[in-house]
């Protein structure tokens, strides 16, 4: 649900605007990398 909600807020460079799913793909990639907040402390890397 986050992709369509956040994708309209992303300003893409002109070469990426031709892809209709570029903003959604960018949001999905970011969401895969960022951990979900929790009450427990994050493990040390």
């Amino acid at each position: 649900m986050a992709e369509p909600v956040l994708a309209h807020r992303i300003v893409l460079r002109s070469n990426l605007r031709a892809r209709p799913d570029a903003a959604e793909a960018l949001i999905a990639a970011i969401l895969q990398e960022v951990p979900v907040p929790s009450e427990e402390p994050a493990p040390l890397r």
Side-chain angles (χ1 to χ4, degrees):
M1 180 169 193
E3 289 95 349
V5 173
L6 297 174
H8 79 279
R9 304 290 300 179
I10 302 294
V11 178
L12 299 173
R13 288 187 267 179
S14 59
N15 60 335
L16 292 176
R17 286 188 205 145
R19 290 185 47 206
D21 65 335
E24 287 86 355
L26 177 60
I27 296 295
I30 292 169
L31 291 174
Q32 287 179 356
E33 295 295 320
V34 177
V36 176
S38 69
E39 299 277 331
E40 299 175 18
L44 299 175
R45 294 186 181 191

